Amino acid sequence: MTKVLINQKLVDEQEATIPYNDRGFIFGDGIYEYIRVYNNKIFTAKEHFERLLRSANEIGLDIDHTVDSLTELVKELVVANKVVNGGVYLQITRGAAPRDHRFPTPPVEPTLMGFSKSYGRPFKDMDQGISAVTTKDIRWLRCDIKSLNLLGNVLAREYAEKYNADEAIQHRDGIVTEGSASNAYAVKDGVIYTHPINNYILNGITRQVVSWICEDEGIPFKEETFDVDFLKNADEVIITNTSVEIMGVIKLDGEQVGNGEVGPITKQLQTRFNHYIDTRCI
Ligand SMILES: *Cc1c(COP(=O)(O)O)cnc(C)c1O
């Protein structure tokens, strides 16, 4: 029986229910994190929980938690569900209250919900590469917050599905921002380019790991904007996130990227990523 975390308590899946008027359900008024588990341990926990606390702060949500208390909660969930390799989803909403756009005054207890998933690493896709399509970025202007408002992301991902692609890479007026649930990169002449950290993209933890790897390996990592044409003419296209790690895109809008195989820089990043799995799990 899988256990779900509801307001600090582990309950059986069937008993994991949320009130009908929870603001997460009504307004998407909440934030979340998705964290990877490798060999029973949590990967880059500090970075993820710091980002969760930042997201909460950015939406004016007061939560009675620290990086340490959140780490403990997630560890309990991982142990209860015997997750060896997989991931943990954790979300916090502004709580249940009569429907009103204004924040409840006085504030109500936030609703915390977490569940886990077991699955292995995506080695086959890492070796073979994946496909993507480009699409307009129609999301709001605070994409830096990992919020529950994912309608733009959902529509982008469904657009990819319609064209039998694995991911949708979004652009604003031709400038590439990021994937529907991933950060995006173009490699040209040995240099990695990716959108700078601002309100147009989510500051991915895997993106941060990529920047560490580039530092280790002496690969130039340029946080500069580029357009869809540049992406299409890149030697390699990469997407990253917590669940797919570092993935080469070998087909973009139906056309081959580079020589149509996962490129050398992508492979170099994938190899070095293992070092961080070994050193950044707690
Ligand atoms: C979570 C997410 C990412 C990737 O972040 P990671 O911390 O690497 O998992 C990228 N873009 C969006 C829109 C996301 O929601």
Side-chain angles (χ1 to χ4, degrees):
M1 178 83 63
T2 177
K3 296 279 187 187
V4 176
L5 199 54
I6 303 275
N7 297 329
Q8 346 279 337
K9 283 202 195 74
L10 286 167
V11 299
D12 288 338
E13 202 172 13
Q14 292 94 320
E15 281 145 41
T17 56
I18 300 288
Y20 76 97
N21 59 1
D22 191 276
R23 292 178 66 94
F25 179 55
I26 303 247
F27 297 118
D29 187 359
I31 45 140
Y32 75 103
E33 273 300 318
Y34 188 72
I35 308 157
R36 202 71 158 82
V37 178
Y38 294 115
N39 307 310
N40 310 97
K41 291 190 181 146
I42 310 168
F43 182 58
T44 50
K46 183 170 173 279
E47 286 78 6
H48 279 281
F49 295 127
E50 277 175 355
R51 186 172 67 187
L52 185 75
L53 295 174
R54 177 192 181 269
S55 293
N57 189 55
E58 291 299 310
I59 67 160
L61 174 61
D62 250 332
I63 51 175
D64 210 8
H65 274 288
T66 60
V67 167
D68 288 344
S69 68
L70 290 165
T71 307
E72 282 317 304
L73 271 183
V74 165
K75 275 191 178 171
E76 277 176 39
L77 190 62
V78 167
V79 169
N81 288 326
K82 300 183 176 64
V83 183
V84 179
N85 287 293
V88 173
Y89 177 89
L90 188 70
Q91 79 165 45
I92 305 177
T93 77
R94 209 181 306 276
R99 187 181 184 281
D100 184 335
H101 286 64
R102 294 173 294 182
F103 292 3
T105 35
V108 295
E109 200 54 39
T111 306
L112 183 148
M113 185 277 287
F115 63 84
S116 63
K117 237 167 91 174
S118 288
Y119 61 98
R121 297 179 58 193
F123 292 121
K124 189 164 167 268
D125 283 346
M126 276 158 65
D127 287 343
Q128 297 182 347
I130 60 162
S131 63
V133 287
T134 57
T135 189
K136 222 170 139 166
D137 194 337
I138 62 162
R139 300 174 301 159
W140 73 328
L141 299 174
R142 289 305 306 275
C143 297
D144 57 310
I145 302 170
K146 213 164 173 71
S147 94
L148 300 180
N149 280 271
L150 292 174
L151 198 46
N153 310 61
V154 165
L155 294 178
R157 182 62 182 79
E158 190 57 22
Y159 175 82
E161 195 65 16
K162 191 171 134 196
Y163 290 97
N164 279 315
D166 299 302
E167 177 60 305
I169 298 179
Q170 305 166 101
H171 60 86
R172 268 187 212 273
D173 299 324
I175 299 294
V176 173
T177 51
E178 63 176 334
S180 73
S182 60
N183 292 111
Y185 314 73
V187 182
K188 192 72 187 171
D189 301 326
V191 179
I192 299 187
Y193 296 87
T194 195
H195 196 287
I197 296 304
N198 60 21
N199 60 305
Y200 295 121
I201 67 158
L202 196 279
N203 186 358
I205 307 302
T206 321
R207 180 188 182 282
Q208 213 169 304
V209 177
V210 167
S211 77
W212 298 340
I213 296 173
C214 286
E215 176 105 39
D216 297 344
E217 306 271 298
I219 303 165
F221 180 77
K222 290 219 156 100
E223 301 178 83
E224 287 173 14
T225 57
F226 52 85
D227 63 14
V228 174
D229 262 1
F230 185 83
L231 188 73
K232 290 194 175 179
N233 291 305
D235 301 329
E236 301 177 37
V237 170
I238 303 169
I239 61 152
T240 70
N241 71 26
T242 293
S243 53
V244 305
E245 301 178 8
I246 297 164
M247 210 50 98
V249 175
I250 56 162
K251 212 165 94 180
L252 188 61
D253 290 336
E255 306 270 339
Q256 182 176 304
V257 175
N259 65 3
E261 283 175 21
V262 176
I265 299 261
T266 309
K267 285 185 179 158
Q268 199 179 345
L269 298 176
Q270 288 171 339
T271 302
R272 182 68 184 168
F273 190 78
N274 293 313
H275 164 77
Y276 286 98
I277 292 180
D278 291 342
T279 55
R280 289 282 182 158
C281 281
I282 58 161

